[in-house]
Amino acid sequence: MTASPQVPAAAAAGRQEPFSPLGALRRLNPYHWSAGLVIRGMAELRIADRLAAGPRSDAEIAAAIDAHPPSLTRFLRVCELHGLIEPVVPDRWALTEAGELLRTDVPSLHGFSIAVNAPGMTRPWERIADVVRTGEPATRAVWGMDHWEYYAAHPEEGRHYCEHSASLSQEAAESLVRSLRLDGVASVLDVGGSPGTMLAALLRALPAARGVLLDLEWAVPFARETLTAAGVADRAELVAGDFFAEVPAGADLCLLKHILCDLDDERAARLLANCAKSTPPGGRIVVLDWEHTDQSSHVHANDVEFMVLTGGRTRSRAEYESLLRDAGFTAPRRLPLVGLERAPMVLLEAVRAD
C-alpha cells in the first residue's frame, strides 16, 4: 500500500494561511455568553448606583458594596471590557452610557438585566441542541418543572422577571392607550397581566372603568404593587388562576399583551377560546405581540427563546389573525401602534362574533 502524501493543513482547509486558533477566537468569540453574566453581576452588586454621583476608586466601591477588594478590582476590569465603566484619573471609575442603564434610582434595565441572565432563563439554553432536535422546550428537562412553576419556586427570580416585564411594558402601555378607541369601555380584563403596567395605564385613561387582572398566584402580588403605586388599585380586581381553565367573564375589553408568544398553537387556541367564551357579544379583544417577519430583528432571538423556555413562538400577522378567527372573533383589524410604529410588534383588535 502506498502512503498518502502529506497535505498541509492550510491547503486541506482551503485557506491561504495556516490556521491560527487565537485569530479564530477573535472572529468566533465563543466566550460572548459571559457578557450577559457580567452585566447581571454588576446589576446584582448595584455598582452603577455607587457610581451615580460620580467616579469612585476600587477601594471606595468595595467598601460601599462590602466586596472582596482584589476580586472586585479584577471584576471591574471585565466591566470595562464590556463598556459598562471607564477609568478616569486618578485611579477612579466612572459609569458609561451603557452602565447608566443598570442604576436602580432611575428608569433602567436593572431588573431586566438580572432576569434574562439568571438561571431560570440561561440554564435551559444549555440544551439548545436538544431543543432543536426534539422540538420540546428544555425548562422541564433542566428543572423538573415548567418556566412559570420555576418562578413560583424561586420568588427572587420571579421578582426580577416581573421587573423585566415592567421595563418592557411601560413604553408599550403608553402607546397602547394612544392607539385604542377607549370611549364606552367600562371594564377591562388583562389576561396574564402581571406586573400590572398595562392595566394601570388603561385605568388611568379610563377614570370611570373597572379592571380585572388574571395571572398565576405567584405573580399577582407584583401586580398589586404596581396598581397601588398608580393609584388605581381600588378599581382593580386581582384574580389568581389558570387561564387555560377559565377566564373571568363580562369585560368590554380583553387584553393579551405578549401572552400568545409564550404558547404553542394548541395552547394559544385553548386560551383564545376561553377569552371568546368570557367576552360578551360585541366585546373586544386586543392582542399586542411580537411580529415575525422575514426582516431580521431581535424577534428572531425572542422566537428561539420561547422555543427553549416555554415551547411558544412568535407569529406573523396572518397567523395571529387565523387564531383569533378560529376562536370565535370577527376578522381582526390591525391598528397602528402610535409612537412605536417601527417596533417589531403587531396590534390587532377583533370583536366577539355573535
Side-chain angles (χ1 to χ4, degrees):
M1 180 180 292
T2 306
S4 300
Q6 293 296 313
V7 179
R15 290 186 289 266
Q16 298 300 315
E17 300 294 334
F19 175 65
S20 166
L22 291 179
L25 280 174
R26 287 193 296 270
R27 295 194 302 275
L28 185 60
N29 194 11
Y31 300 114
H32 187 68
W33 60 269
S34 66
L37 299 183
V38 170
I39 294 170
R40 171 188 159 199
M42 182 168 164
E44 289 182 327
L45 291 167
R46 301 203 171 195
I47 291 173
D49 288 351
R50 307 306 180 183
L51 295 176
R56 305 183 77 170
S57 68
D58 296 32
E60 289 170 331
I61 299 170
I65 66 173
D66 192 25
H68 178 240
S71 297
L72 174 69
T73 295
R74 295 160 68 181
F75 181 68
L76 291 175
R77 286 296 183 187
V78 77
C79 290
E80 178 193 8
L81 176 68
H82 291 298
L84 303 170
I85 58 175
E86 58 188 1
V88 294
V89 290
D91 188 30
R92 300 170 86 79
W93 295 103
L95 282 177
T96 62
E97 186 175 347
E100 291 278 352
L101 299 176
L102 299 180
R103 290 172 58 180
T104 63
D105 59 334
V106 295
S108 73
L109 295 178
H110 176 268
F112 176 93
S113 298
I114 295 175
V116 299
N117 294 296
M121 283 199 177
T122 59
R123 287 287 306 280
W125 274 89
E126 296 173 7
R127 301 203 179 195
I128 180 61
D130 291 337
V131 173
V132 172
R133 290 188 186 104
T134 67
E136 296 295 327
T139 301
R140 188 171 294 279
V142 172
W143 299 114
M145 60 189 79
D146 73 21
H147 187 62
W148 312 114
E149 291 168 339
Y150 175 86
Y151 285 130
H154 299 81
E156 188 62 25
E157 280 195 52
R159 171 170 289 279
H160 288 307
Y161 179 84
C162 285
E163 289 179 18
H164 144 265
S165 298
S167 65
L168 293 183
S169 295
Q170 186 58 53
E171 192 174 19
E174 295 168 1
S175 178
L176 184 73
V177 167
R178 297 197 299 269
S179 303
L180 292 180
R181 177 178 56 82
L182 295 175
D183 53 294
V185 175
S187 55
V188 178
L189 168 64
D190 191 355
V191 179
S194 190
T197 310
M198 305 299 287
L199 183 59
L202 286 167
L203 291 181
R204 283 197 301 266
L206 295 163
R210 298 195 64 81
V212 177
L213 184 146
L214 170 66
D215 215 320
L216 297 171
E217 185 174 0
W218 69 265
V220 164
F222 303 113
R224 183 175 291 110
E225 291 177 13
T226 301
L227 294 164
T228 299
V232 296
D234 60 327
R235 293 189 285 127
E237 178 185 359
L238 303 180
V239 178
D242 177 4
F243 55 49
F244 293 123
E246 186 179 20
V247 171
D252 302 324
L253 181 67
C254 175
L255 173 64
L256 295 176
K257 185 261 183 186
H258 289 159
I259 301 299
L260 297 179
C261 59
D262 277 320
L263 308 176
D264 59 26
D265 288 345
E266 179 183 350
R267 292 183 298 159
R270 194 188 323 163
L271 169 58
L272 288 173
N274 285 345
C275 291
K277 187 186 305 181
S278 72
T279 302
R284 286 185 288 162
I285 188 170
V286 171
V287 171
L288 176 61
D289 220 315
W290 301 114
E291 182 177 18
H292 198 110
T293 68
D294 292 335
Q295 182 176 355
S296 180
S297 73
H298 68 77
V299 172
H300 294 85
N302 289 352
D303 184 47
V304 177
E305 179 175 280
F306 302 140
M307 181 173 75
V308 169
L309 297 178
T310 67
R313 56 186 291 258
T314 58
R315 294 175 173 87
S316 68
R317 171 185 174 180
E319 288 173 318
Y320 288 119
E321 291 175 345
S322 178
L323 283 170
L324 285 164
R325 286 194 303 268
D326 291 347
F329 293 95
T330 59
R333 66 189 188 106
R334 182 171 190 159
L335 303 177
L337 196 53
V338 178
L340 293 175
E341 290 86 355
R342 300 186 64 182
M345 292 188 285
V346 62
L347 177 61
L348 295 174
E349 180 185 73
V351 176
R352 152 96 185 268
D354 292 335

